[in-house]
Amino acid sequence: MNQVYTEVSIDPRGVATLTLNRPQVHNAFDDAMIAELIAVLKDLANNDEVRVLVLAANGKNFSAGADLNWMRSMAQKDYQQNLNDAAELATLMHRLDKFPKPTIALIKGAAFGGALGLVACCDIAIAEENASFCLSEVRIGLIPAVISPYVMRAIGERESRRYFLTAERFMAAKAQQLGLLHEVVSEGKLSDSAKSMINTLLQNSPAALSAAKSLIHNIYNRKISNNVIAHTEQAIAEIRVSPEGQEGLSAFLEKRKPAWLGKEDA
C-alpha cells in the first residue's frame, strides 16, 4: 500500500517497526492516518514473518493525539458522521490491542489524548524520562471515550477518576507508577532498551507468545468459573501437542537450542 503517514520496516529477524511519520504536526492523527494505521496493522498481523512489532515515532514527540484540523471538521459533522469517525478510531485501538504478536511502544516527548490509547494497547511500553503524558480531552469539552477501556485497564479506575477529570500533565516516572509504562530510561537510551527487550522476546516460541497473548485476553478480569478453568485446560493441552510445543519440550529435555532460534541466537 502507498504509505503517507507511517513508515514500516521488517528486519531479517522478523522485527517490524511501525513509525508514526507526521513530525510536522507532532504525529497528531486524523481520519486518513487512522485508516492507514488500520491497514498497516492488518498487513503486519497477517505476515507470518513478523515476530515482534515496535511502535515508534519520528520527530520530537510520540503523538499529540487528535489533529486540530480533524477536530474542527468533526465539529461540523452530525451525530452519525461522528459515530463513524469514532468507530474507525475504535477499530485502530482494537486491532493494536489484539495484534497477535508482542508489541512494544517507544515513547519520547509528548503523548497526549488518544496517543495514550496507543500506548495502553501495546504489550510493553518504554519511555524516555522526559516524556510527558496527558488525558487532555476535558479541557476542550470532550472525553477520552474510545481509549478509555485500554487506559483504564492499564492504570485502574481510581487513577482514571483523577486523570480523566483533571487533564493534568504527568511525566514518565508517574506514568510508570500508574502502570501505563513498564520502563523509563534516560534520554537517548530508548533504542538500547528496545533492543534488549526485543532480544528477550525473540528467545521465546513465536506460537507460545501468540497463545500467551490470547490467554491474557480470554482470562483477564473474568471470574474463575468452570468455563474459565476449562479454557485454561484446553489452552495448555493445545500448546503441548502443537509443533512448537513439542519442539520446545524436546529441546529443553535434550539440552539444546529450540528450532525457532536462529544460528545467530544459538
Side-chain angles (χ1 to χ4, degrees):
M1 64 175 291
N2 183 26
Q3 292 164 221
V4 178
Y5 302 114
T6 62
E7 294 177 350
V8 176
S9 64
I10 304 174
D11 74 12
R13 301 170 300 167
V15 178
T17 301
L18 170 55
T19 306
L20 308 180
N21 191 35
R22 295 187 77 203
Q24 69 278 11
V25 291
H26 309 290
N27 296 308
F29 44 81
D30 58 10
D31 52 349
M33 187 176 186
I34 290 170
E36 184 172 310
L37 284 166
I38 291 171
V40 169
L41 286 172
K42 181 179 180 181
D43 288 344
L44 292 174
N46 291 329
N47 186 338
D48 292 337
E49 300 300 316
V50 173
R51 293 183 59 186
V52 176
L53 173 64
V54 176
L55 179 63
N58 284 331
K60 295 181 179 180
N61 297 298
F62 180 74
S63 175
D67 181 85
L68 290 175
N69 290 325
W70 182 44
M71 287 195 289
R72 289 192 189 100
S73 72
M74 288 191 294
Q76 305 302 316
K77 294 178 179 179
D78 61 24
Y79 172 80
Q80 187 59 51
Q81 290 171 315
N82 269 277
L83 191 61
N84 294 340
D85 274 336
E88 284 294 288
L89 182 59
T91 297
L92 169 59
M93 297 298 163
H94 181 74
R95 186 154 289 173
L96 180 58
D97 186 59
K98 293 297 180 69
F99 194 82
K101 317 295 175 63
T103 54
I104 305 171
L106 302 179
I107 306 101
K108 57 183 178 179
F112 285 7
L116 269 74
L118 297 177
V119 175
C121 285
C122 286
D123 300 315
I124 299 162
I126 307 169
E128 291 187 346
E129 60 188 358
N130 60 356
S132 61
F133 303 82
C134 183
L135 291 154
S136 54
E137 287 84 353
V138 293
R139 288 184 181 172
I140 56 172
L142 303 177
I143 55 174
V146 171
I147 67 171
S148 62
Y150 311 102
V151 176
M152 289 181 70
R153 183 182 61 193
I155 71 174
E157 180 196 2
R158 190 62 177 163
E159 298 295 356
S160 297
R161 285 183 176 227
R162 173 173 176 172
Y163 291 99
F164 281 25
L165 302 181
T166 63
E168 293 171 86
R169 184 170 178 168
F170 52 96
M171 303 302 290
K174 185 64 177 180
Q176 184 179 28
Q177 180 185 339
L178 294 175
L180 184 65
L181 300 177
H182 295 92
E183 290 186 18
V184 175
V185 299
S186 57
E187 187 174 358
K189 296 297 184 181
L190 202 55
S191 178
D192 291 342
S193 182
K195 288 177 182 177
S196 177
M197 186 61 68
I198 289 166
N199 289 336
T200 297
L201 290 168
L202 290 177
Q203 298 298 307
N204 304 326
S205 156
L209 288 172
S210 294
K213 286 196 66 170
S214 178
L215 181 69
I216 293 165
H217 285 301
N218 281 295
I219 298 302
Y220 176 72
N221 219 22
R222 290 178 61 186
K223 181 180 178 181
I224 301 176
S225 64
N226 289 336
N227 286 339
V228 167
I229 292 170
H231 179 86
T232 62
E233 294 167 349
Q234 293 164 8
I236 188 58
E238 287 172 1
I239 201 73
R240 281 176 180 166
V241 300
S242 71
E244 281 191 18
Q246 291 286 298
E247 167 61 16
L249 287 170
S250 296
F252 176 75
L253 294 172
E254 296 166 11
K255 298 182 179 180
R256 60 174 175 82
K257 298 290 184 180
W260 59 77
L261 288 179
K263 291 182 179 180
E264 68 277 8
D265 299 315

